[in-house]
Amino acid sequence: MIKFSPTAVASCLFATAALLAGCKKDGPVMHGPDKMPTHVSSLRFIGEKIVPFKQDYNNTTIGGLSSIDYRPDKDKYYIMCDDASAFQPVRYYTADIDFDQTQFTNVNFTGVTTFKRPDGSLYPNTAADRYSAIDPEGLAYDPATSHLIWSSEGIRNVTVTPAVLTDPFLYEANLDGTFVASFALPSLFKIQSTENGTRSNGSFEGVSVVPNSRYVFTANEEPVYEDGPRADFGVAGSPIRLIKYDKVTHQPVAQYAYKLDAVHAAPIPADQFRLNGVVEMVAMSETKMLVMERSFAVGATPDYVVKIYEVDLDGATDISRENSLKTAIYTPVSKRLVLDVASTGIKRVDNLEGMTFGPKLGNGHYSLVLVSDDNFGSSQITQFLAFEVIP
């Protein structure tokens, strides 16, 4: 650091710098990894950017963007691709995202990195080896280690013999995608051939590192079988579990129940697919976080509804010892609606699955960025949404 002597010249230089900084109202302002919002009263929509369908980047297909995290010291974003090696090997992207208080100007992909298995090999697709394939979903950057923590939902397919029973996981990895460590999986979340444990495509989606802490959170998207039925149209209150892990020991230290909303509409026809679940979280402290719920119903208008809640764990019961919540007595976390994304007035709310705080804006407020998973389908879109965080 350069230190100035207390002279008149130095005073003028400081005054000039302060004046120039005050004039830059709209540009993003970098913030360090030790700072984070602690409360979100509301979100003000800034703008949207849509990435062209199946855009090529460095011989990979952009799509299926299921999670996002911002790295302040490098002003870059890490974005998970949930391609289970069907197009290219399991991977994440880096990107520069440009917006200010008034407009969203650009999304520029700057890198792509493949994740490696613990033995150093690439993950196969289901056609090559259905018993070794995974379902990548969540991603978080840990500033304490400069590592990534990422998740797979696991795969359950009992229609083949032998059944595919691939457990979900939470892994720690280097930025080059190589394996560092695995987090212990509570036995309740194991995938089984019977209706016990994790449901197919319903496990670890969201991952978030707690600022200035040794903890990381994840959650199952839908309830494990033991905890009760899935959310449905007219069925609210299905509980999923927020799991708190120690990053150092890689062991779970607590679990908290979060009650889901009902599916927003009946599918058409009525027997078609529908769901509502937790797809992303952003921790603000050890007891507060933003949680994104995503509801979908085939044939409904709209087909997707996405809501962001501020969640408080204070006073909630640690349910780690509960093997079933169907008859258990417990206090769930509390949640307060911050945003129904449809209220922005955008043309389409797609399959939003990723959420992260971004840089501070020129007025000192933080930003929030969302991204959608287009499922590599031509009827969907890869959309980025930017918001101002109103404290």
Side-chain angles (χ1 to χ4, degrees), residues 152-391:
S152 167
E153 287 194 293
I155 300 176
R156 181 180 187 270
N157 182 357
V158 296
T159 66
V160 297
T161 303
V164 178
L165 305 172
T166 305
D167 285 332
F169 66 67
L170 195 65
Y171 279 176
E172 182 178 350
N174 292 305
L175 292 177
D176 65 3
T178 53
F179 175 83
V180 172
S182 63
F183 289 77
L185 181 70
S187 59
L188 185 63
F189 293 87
K190 285 185 164 295
I191 290 182
Q192 303 182 46
S193 58
T194 56
E195 290 193 347
N196 298 94
T198 290
R199 285 180 160 89
S200 179
N201 198 36
S203 192
F204 301 158
E205 283 240 6
V207 180
S208 186
V209 172
V210 179
N212 303 311
S213 168
R214 62 185 289 160
Y215 300 110
V216 59
F217 279 95
T218 188
N220 50 324
E221 180 184 1
E222 296 191 277
V224 294
Y225 283 104
E226 286 83 348
D227 286 346
R230 304 167 66 233
D232 204 341
F233 179 60
V235 178
S238 297
I240 60 98
R241 298 187 182 218
L242 307 177
I243 309 173
K244 182 181 181 181
Y245 275 98
D246 186 317
K247 293 186 300 175
V248 179
T249 65
H250 299 96
Q251 296 295 317
V253 296
Q255 297 177 28
Y256 304 95
Y258 174 104
K259 292 197 171 183
L260 297 168
D261 292 353
V263 175
H264 70 282
I268 302 173
D271 61 350
Q272 292 299 295
F273 182 72
R274 67 275 191 192
L275 86 161
N276 183 51
V278 168
V279 292
E280 186 67 292
M281 60 182 65
V282 179
M284 296 183 282
S285 70
E286 289 184 28
T287 58
K288 280 200 173 181
M289 64 179 68
L290 294 182
V291 168
M292 182 189 294
E293 287 191 43
R294 185 267 335 266
S295 176
F296 172 74
V298 170
T301 303
D303 50 355
Y304 286 101
V305 167
V306 178
K307 295 180 180 180
I308 297 172
Y309 289 92
E310 185 178 81
V311 171
D312 193 342
L313 279 60
D314 191 33
T317 305
D318 181 356
I319 56 171
S320 299
R321 296 176 180 269
E322 299 289 348
N323 292 322
S324 172
L325 297 181
K326 290 179 181 178
T327 59
I329 299 173
Y330 62 92
T331 301
V333 303
S334 62
K335 65 181 192 178
R336 175 184 61 85
L337 181 64
V338 174
L339 179 76
D340 182 336
V341 180
S343 68
T344 61
I346 58 176
K347 183 177 180 180
R348 172 172 172 78
V349 176
D350 210 273
N351 183 32
L352 291 163
E353 290 194 352
M355 174 173 63
T356 183
F357 288 120
K360 277 188 177 181
L361 302 169
N363 62 0
H365 289 173
Y366 289 90
S367 57
L368 187 80
V369 178
L370 311 183
V371 67
S372 71
D373 171 1
D374 70 350
N375 292 307
F376 294 96
S378 59
S379 64
Q380 294 185 245
I381 55 175
T382 296
Q383 64 185 162
F384 287 81
L385 306 178
F387 297 85
E388 175 186 354
V389 174
I390 308 300

Side-chain angles (χ1 to χ4, degrees), residues 50-215:
I50 297 176
V51 175
F53 178 58
K54 287 189 175 180
Q55 176 178 314
D56 178 84
Y57 177 79
N58 203 17
N59 297 315
T60 67
T61 307
I62 293 176
L65 304 183
S66 60
S67 189
I68 185 170
D69 203 7
Y70 178 63
R71 180 174 178 178
D73 64 320
K74 299 292 185 181
D75 193 24
K76 70 166 63 174
Y77 294 81
Y78 297 111
I79 306 173
M80 176 62 98
C81 174
D82 74 357
D83 175 14
S85 297
F87 291 91
Q88 293 89 31
V90 174
R91 60 198 180 278
Y92 77 91
Y93 292 95
T94 55
D96 295 332
I97 301 177
D98 300 318
F99 56 87
D100 57 29
Q101 287 170 239
T102 60
Q103 60 182 340
F104 194 158
T105 54
N106 191 43
V107 176
N108 179 41
F109 291 88
T110 58
V112 59
T113 304
T114 56
F115 280 111
K116 314 303 190 299
R117 299 165 76 181
D119 66 4
S121 62
L122 298 178
Y123 288 94
N125 58 36
T126 55
D129 183 357
R130 64 166 58 123
Y131 299 100
S132 298
I134 63 168
D135 184 6
E137 288 291 351
L139 180 71
Y141 172 72
D142 182 5
T145 60
S146 295
H147 290 168
L148 296 173
I149 299 174
W150 66 288
S151 68
S152 167
E153 287 194 293
I155 300 176
R156 181 180 187 270
N157 182 357
V158 296
T159 66
V160 297
T161 303
V164 178
L165 305 172
T166 305
D167 285 332
F169 66 67
L170 195 65
Y171 279 176
E172 182 178 350
N174 292 305
L175 292 177
D176 65 3
T178 53
F179 175 83
V180 172
S182 63
F183 289 77
L185 181 70
S187 59
L188 185 63
F189 293 87
K190 285 185 164 295
I191 290 182
Q192 303 182 46
S193 58
T194 56
E195 290 193 347
N196 298 94
T198 290
R199 285 180 160 89
S200 179
N201 198 36
S203 192
F204 301 158
E205 283 240 6
V207 180
S208 186
V209 172
V210 179
N212 303 311
S213 168
R214 62 185 289 160
Y215 300 110

